[in-house]
Amino acid sequence: MLNSSEPQPSASRSSEYIFEARMEVRDYECDIEGIVNNAQYVHYCEHTRHLFLKSCGLSFAEMHAKGVDAVVARMHLQYKVPLRPDDEFISRLKLTKDGIKYVFHHDIYRASDEKICFRGKVELVCLINGQLGESKEYDDAFRKFFGDKI
């Protein structure tokens, strides 16, 4: 799997996205129809979020050790054009905040022609020592994307 570890918006979409990761479809991710299984796109999104968090200086493992867990509260998924074995693709990310929710907007494009393959909206909330709350660490890491809106 190919990926980037720093925020790298594409030239054509630089104002739309704050992060992207390049990856490649592996054969075992495909179903009998020869296309990426629908559940795999959730894994692509999660991997993109984890790379994004690392680029912001956050580690899921370290945050968990501090008692802070970002958990998925809701997902909305749209499948557009299927990916196939060996396709390279670009997983792009936008981030908004709605109250205590961090909303990750995922768009996955096939690299060869920039066709949109998948759109996902993933809402995360933070549990602080098991209780729903706001995380200063996450807010601080994302401040450059939200400004004073946090």
Side-chain angles (χ1 to χ4, degrees):
M1 183 178 299
L2 308 170
N3 65 59
S4 60
S5 59
E6 295 296 320
Q8 296 180 12
S10 69
S12 63
R13 303 177 192 281
S14 61
S15 63
E16 290 184 59
Y17 300 99
I18 60 171
F19 184 82
E20 71 178 31
R22 293 184 72 92
M23 296 179 239
E24 183 175 311
V25 173
R26 297 164 288 200
D27 293 341
Y28 65 84
E29 297 169 337
C30 298
D31 58 25
I32 197 158
E33 298 166 345
I35 60 175
V36 170
N37 180 275
N38 59 15
Q40 191 61 41
Y41 291 89
V42 175
H43 294 283
Y44 296 156
C45 291
E46 183 174 29
H47 185 63
T48 302
R49 281 195 313 279
H50 285 215
L51 292 173
F52 169 70
L53 291 175
K54 283 176 67 176
S55 78
C56 291
L58 292 173
S59 158
F60 258 28
E62 288 175 15
M63 294 301 292
H64 176 73
K66 292 178 182 180
V68 179
D69 294 299
V71 297
V72 173
R74 181 175 292 121
M75 300 175 90
H76 178 75
L77 312 174
Q78 298 176 330
Y79 300 91
K80 302 291 188 180
V81 173
L83 288 167
R84 300 183 181 282
D86 300 325
D87 277 348
E88 287 189 23
F89 61 94
I90 306 163
S91 178
R92 294 185 172 117
L93 186 65
K94 301 177 210 174
L95 176 62
T96 58
K97 190 164 185 202
D98 181 14
I100 64 170
K101 294 182 289 191
Y102 298 104
V103 184
F104 290 86
H105 305 268
H106 294 273
D107 291 336
I108 295 178
Y109 293 86
R110 188 168 48 210
S112 63
D113 58 7
E114 287 279 329
K115 289 246 188 211
I116 183 78
C117 298
F118 173 87
R119 283 216 153 109
K121 179 178 167 185
V122 181
E123 298 177 1
L124 273 74
V125 295
C126 286
L127 300 178
I128 315 298
N129 296 314
Q131 300 294 314
L132 187 62
E134 295 204 49
S135 164
K136 180 184 177 332
E137 293 91 344
Y138 278 94
D139 282 348
D140 288 347
F142 299 154
R143 191 165 311 282
K144 63 185 167 190
F145 305 110
F146 299 129
D148 293 329
K149 296 177 190 174
I150 291 183

